[in-house]
Amino acid sequence: MRNDTKGKEAKAGSKREALVRATIQLVNNSGFHATPMSKIAKLAEVSPGTIYLYFENKQDLINQVYIEVKTAFSAFAFKDYDASLPVAEGFRKIWYNIAAFKLQEVEEAMFLSQCDNTPMMDEPSRQEGLKHLRPLLDLWERGQAEQLIRQVSPFMLYAFSIYPIAFLMNVQQRGLYTITQEHIDHAYTMAWNSIKL
Amino acid sequence: MRNDTKGKEAKAGSKREALVRATIQLVNNSGFHATPMSKIAKLAEVSPGTIYLYFENKQDLINQVYIEVKTAFSAFAFKDYDASLPVAEGFRKIWYNIAAFKLQEVEEAMFLSQCDNTPMMDEPSRQEGLKHLRPLLDLWERGQAEQLIRQVSPFMLYAFSIYPIAFLMNVQQRGLYTITQEHIDHAYTMAWNSIKL
Amino acid sequence: MRNDTKGKEAKAGSKREALVRATIQLVNNSGFHATPMSKIAKLAEVSPGTIYLYFENKQDLINQVYIEVKTAFSAFAFKDYDASLPVAEGFRKIWYNIAAFKLQEVEEAMFLSQCDNTPMMDEPSRQEGLKHLRPLLDLWERGQAEQLIRQVSPFMLYAFSIYPIAFLMNVQQRGLYTITQEHIDHAYTMAWNSIKL
Amino acid sequence: MRNDTKGKEAKAGSKREALVRATIQLVNNSGFHATPMSKIAKLAEVSPGTIYLYFENKQDLINQVYIEVKTAFSAFAFKDYDASLPVAEGFRKIWYNIAAFKLQEVEEAMFLSQCDNTPMMDEPSRQEGLKHLRPLLDLWERGQAEQLIRQVSPFMLYAFSIYPIAFLMNVQQRGLYTITQEHIDHAYTMAWNSIKL
DNA sequence: GATGAATGAGTATTCATTCAT
DNA sequence: AATGAATGAATACTCATTCAT
């Protein structure tokens, strides 16, 4: 059912897509430098040479994948979010969105986590990725103006309210811990308690 | 003036030490797989062949370095800590110790952070590294029994009170943020607020 | 404005021509093996696949280009030459023609020079190219019969009277030397002095 | 007789030497870009990786080989030459030396010829190679001052008296022509006739 | 005829590891 | 213990060639 239809249904761009998916998966399992291009090609059912039709080189490949996943992440994070919401409600919305992403879209989330904690990413792409958080930063600023949020750097707010979710995801991924809806609700409370005034 | 004194001042085992230091530094800058053994040897002023007198292979090298740094970390974390201290005081002590480590011993801290967020470490070594946190887990258990600490998994407590420090360190390391004593005090409050009942 | 006119002005066969021109230019700059087919196609504003409509493969491509340029060369060399001319006059005519070719049609001349000094050409094509010099060899034979030209192999006559022009062209091409009409006249004298009796 | 003694007699530097010889031979037969490093290694009976112990990369390899062969060439060219000799005698000496080199040390000579007529060499190395001809240029200058040599650029003198030898070598190498001592003497006369006043 | 996406064999180069000294 | 020259398997990337459209 795959080979026979490949030429037809899998139109333009499908190979690029397959490569992106393969990259995420393999980098998650082995890390960037331990993942050969040939393996990526094989998993994507594509010739090694084909990679270079869509990406300039290995670095460009993860750069592009990173941007793409980061974009998907923020789309997810701000889904149904409205900047006119009250601060507490807005934060709750975003926080639950991010938690949902990290715990459902595990592959993507793990990939981002590795990119963000490793020297494999080059600085320009990292900067590019940061931009996407703008609405959250704006929300926090508003919250601080309204005396609802602690008067500390957004880095600090992020560290204590968002970053912990990544840890929980990692731990669950390694099979050490299983996160239920109740856990998530607890986690939200802890996040909010740490940043609220 | 270098060669002639090397043999004297740098007794037996000094080469191992130099290799460990070199590994930490280079892995921080480039990642595990992007760091060649030859570079490690060069920075340690040692022949490539010598590495294999002290370590079985590359994987064994980072494994050993990881354990070593993790041990140093916990020694630091529990310095002057006494299990008979009241919970709040005990936590404060440990938390400030860990923060001091992360912000002063940056090289070691960054190395651990990379090990913990990357597939470069094998599972046994990872497990080995976890053991060192025992006293903190005990403290939390006691705190929960005394109704001082939230009734959630230690993973959750760790995620919201300890893990954020690593983020702050990363951000400072990248030159995006400078952490003062005042920031640390704020951070402590946020950490405590998130886990206290 | 490019695509719509291509089909009109550049009738059939124009693509082949463009490919030949592109090949000459690129091989001059980088050598045969350092010139990818894709680059040739790009410079000729043609698809890579199109090359194989006109040429069997890469080797066939330079073979054909070589023959073509060699043919153009001899047409140039024997322009206005008449086998009934006196030997000295006939040689002068041919020599100046060749000099003019080498110094005016630099692209073609450099291409030939590279083909003749490199293992990139296969022997059959090389032989094919040699045939074109027949009239010059005949002239020399006549000159020897008339005791005007040294009794040595035509290879020797060629080496000392014709081959040097290629060197001058190379040197001028590299910007080390500029050749004026006066230089050419001197060169002719030197050529003639070396072969005359 | 080779394998059994390899480890002993073939001390330091022997591998480099073998690589240089292999490079000359293979580049002569196939050209620079058509010669894979692996083939060079195999012919030199050395591992591919070993090449990079002695040479930075492929370009550095031919650069070094070129300089080395060019140096051997000029040592040969000016053997027994004494700047105090009369011009005609000095030129005869050098010319015969060069002819001897080109016709005896065919491998080296062919290698130089290919380097000098191909874009494979980078400009710095080419310049470096040129320096070696100094004594010949000095001799020509003196000859011009003494009204013995034509008042033309040394490029022209070289083109007509030295460069032709390379052509004869090529032709002989291809099996089209066999050069005897008598031919050489003729050639010398032709060379001298072209540059003398 | 013409295209250009796709291929996969081939290439330069790197690097963990060994071993004779 | 220590060295470092040597290895060769592995890797990123290129490019001649094909073929479905």
Side-chain angles (χ1 to χ4, degrees), chain D residues 15 47 49-50 54:
Chain D
K15 277 166 210 279
S47 159
T50 302
Y54 298 99

Side-chain angles (χ1 to χ4, degrees), chain D residues 45-62:
Chain D
E45 296 189 277
V46 140
S47 159
T50 302
I51 300 182
Y52 296 85
L53 250 49
Y54 298 99
F55 307 96
E56 255 176 60
N57 51 42
K58 199 178 180 184
Q59 185 66 51
D60 182 50
L61 170 61
I62 21 118

Side-chain angles (χ1 to χ4, degrees), chain B residues 7-190:
Chain B
K8 311 292 180 184
E9 65 175 83
K11 326 194 166 197
S14 83
K15 280 170 206 277
R16 208 196 97 101
E17 225 176 286
L19 284 165
V20 169
R21 251 179 291 121
T23 302
I24 293 170
Q25 189 176 326
L26 290 169
V27 169
N28 276 343
N29 288 330
S30 323
F32 170 48
H33 284 288
T35 301
M37 297 295 261
S38 58
K39 227 177 189 172
I40 296 177
K42 198 165 289 165
L43 183 58
E45 298 190 89
V46 140
S47 158
T50 302
I51 300 182
Y52 294 85
L53 294 175
Y54 298 100
F55 307 95
E56 254 175 62
N57 51 43
K58 199 180 180 185
Q59 186 64 52
D60 182 49
L61 169 61
I62 18 119
N63 285 348
Q64 288 198 34
V65 173
Y66 177 73
I67 298 294
E68 220 162 300
V69 176
K70 200 81 177 187
T71 305
F73 165 73
S74 37
F76 205 114
F78 300 109
K79 191 161 54 175
D80 303 327
Y81 167 73
D82 183 344
S84 64
L85 283 170
V87 168
E89 238 171 287
F91 178 72
R92 167 177 239 114
K93 176 100 237 148
I94 295 170
W95 193 95
Y96 270 95
N97 277 343
I98 291 178
F101 182 87
K102 298 261 181 203
L103 297 168
Q104 285 159 34
E105 313 291 314
V106 189
E107 291 274 283
E108 274 89 349
M110 276 181 41
F111 180 78
L112 288 182
S113 165
Q114 198 174 155
C115 289
D116 288 333
N117 286 283
T118 272
M120 86 195 201
M121 203 86 281
D122 55 20
E123 210 43 48
S125 303
R126 227 187 271 280
Q127 297 302 332
E128 179 71 22
L130 268 184
K131 292 188 196 156
H132 295 290
L133 283 177
R134 198 64 265 170
L136 178 57
L137 304 188
D138 291 343
L139 177 71
W140 277 336
E141 241 171 82
R142 183 153 56 91
Q144 291 174 326
E146 297 177 12
Q147 307 281 359
L148 297 169
I149 302 270
R150 240 167 222 290
Q151 303 293 344
V152 294
S153 151
F155 287 123
M156 207 100 114
L157 299 173
Y158 189 89
F160 283 93
S161 66
I162 308 294
Y163 195 59
I165 310 177
F167 180 82
L168 297 175
M169 173 199 68
N170 276 326
V171 149
Q172 170 167 259
Q173 202 49 28
R174 275 178 202 142
L176 303 172
Y177 185 49
T178 306
I179 300 168
T180 65
Q181 186 55 46
E182 202 191 2
H183 292 143
I184 297 178
D185 294 337
H186 269 132
Y188 172 71
T189 311
M190 294 171 80

Side-chain angles (χ1 to χ4, degrees), chain D residues 81-99:
Chain D
Y81 168 72
D82 183 342
S84 65
L85 284 170
V87 168
E89 240 172 284
F91 178 71
R92 167 177 239 114
K93 175 100 234 148
I94 295 170
W95 193 95
Y96 271 94
N97 277 341
I98 290 177

Side-chain angles (χ1 to χ4, degrees), chain C residues 1-13:
Chain C
M1 193 210 150
R2 225 184 66 249
N3 272 324
D4 43 345
T5 56
K6 216 167 36 174
K8 311 291 179 183
E9 64 174 85
K11 329 192 162 197

